[in-house]
């Protein structure tokens, strides 16, 4: 079975994060809860949404939104600089993305579109940030698993 271009991009991004000397574990499409002792802080990468932007006779231009969740840990409710705990993770992800914005030529371009902070205690389990990375790429119209 062929690996889709989308899957190749997600794999390439996860590999790039790991190769850049990740400051914490990298998880792809988290299937198990994060455990405080061995996986927090952590970064989770998963496909979010995808849209076909334009279609020509031979090609489809697609936009993939990757969701990257940076999880830090339980907040100290008296800490007024709690956002600074997650900031190094989001900055590091952004720097790793800028090192190869085309994922080795798989994509046309990519950029961070938004960061949503979760700085209040959510069930007092963690603080973090959700990043949305928009990636534009092409596939063959008649074979979505083939790069266009």
């Amino acid at each position: 079975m062929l690996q889709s271009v989308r899957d190749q991009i997600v794999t390439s991004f996860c590999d790039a994060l790991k190769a850049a000397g990740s400051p914490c574990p990298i998880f792809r499409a988290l299937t198990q809860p994060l455990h405080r002792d061995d996986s927090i802080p952590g970064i989770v990468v998963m496909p979010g949404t995808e849209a076909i932007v334009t279609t020509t006779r031979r090609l489809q231009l697609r936009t993939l939104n990757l969701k990257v969740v940076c999880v830090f840990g339980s907040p100290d409710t008296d800490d007024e600089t709690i956002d600074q705990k997650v900031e190094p993770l989001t900055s590091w992800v952004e720097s790793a993305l800028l090192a190869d914005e085309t994922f080795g030529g798989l994509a046309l371009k990519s950029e961070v579109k938004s960061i949503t902070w979760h700085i209040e205690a959510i069930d007092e389990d963690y603080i973090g940030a959700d990043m949305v990375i928009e990636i534009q790429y092409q596939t063959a119209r008649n074979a979505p698993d083939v790069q266009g």
Side-chain angles (χ1 to χ4, degrees), residues 29 47 54 57 70 75 87 96 121 138:
T54 58
R57 183 181 289 184
C70 299
E87 179 64 27
Q138 290 184 29

Side-chain angles (χ1 to χ4, degrees), residues 4-134:
S4 70
V5 179
R6 174 189 328 100
D7 192 50
Q8 291 177 58
I9 289 170
V10 176
T11 299
S12 176
F13 184 56
C14 289
D15 291 347
L17 290 176
K18 291 172 185 175
S22 175
C24 60
I26 306 292
F27 302 94
R28 179 171 173 178
L30 191 64
T31 58
Q32 299 290 326
L34 295 177
H35 297 287
R36 190 169 309 282
D37 295 337
D38 56 358
S39 54
I40 294 180
I43 296 172
V44 181
V45 179
M46 65 196 99
T49 61
E50 183 173 38
I52 298 172
V53 180
T54 58
T55 301
T56 67
R57 183 181 289 184
R58 294 182 18 238
L59 300 173
Q60 287 185 329
L61 176 63
R62 296 170 176 251
T63 299
L64 170 65
N65 287 316
L66 275 187
K67 184 175 180 180
V68 178
V69 181
C70 299
V71 181
F72 185 76
S74 187
D76 175 356
T77 55
D78 294 330
D79 188 350
E80 293 182 11
T81 60
I82 204 163
D83 60 315
Q84 293 175 353
K85 307 278 193 234
V86 181
E87 179 64 27
L89 293 180
T90 59
S91 294
W92 181 83
V93 168
E94 203 161 352
S95 295
L97 174 67
L98 291 171
D100 181 9
E101 297 174 80
T102 66
F103 307 100
L106 291 168
L108 301 171
K109 68 176 188 172
S110 61
E111 63 183 330
V112 174
K113 287 306 242 184
S114 67
I115 301 174
T116 303
W117 300 94
H118 302 283
I119 57 175
E120 67 279 349
I122 301 172
D123 295 330
E124 299 190 20
D125 283 342
Y126 76 93
I127 59 170
D130 296 343
M131 303 174 73
V132 174
I133 298 174
E134 184 180 272

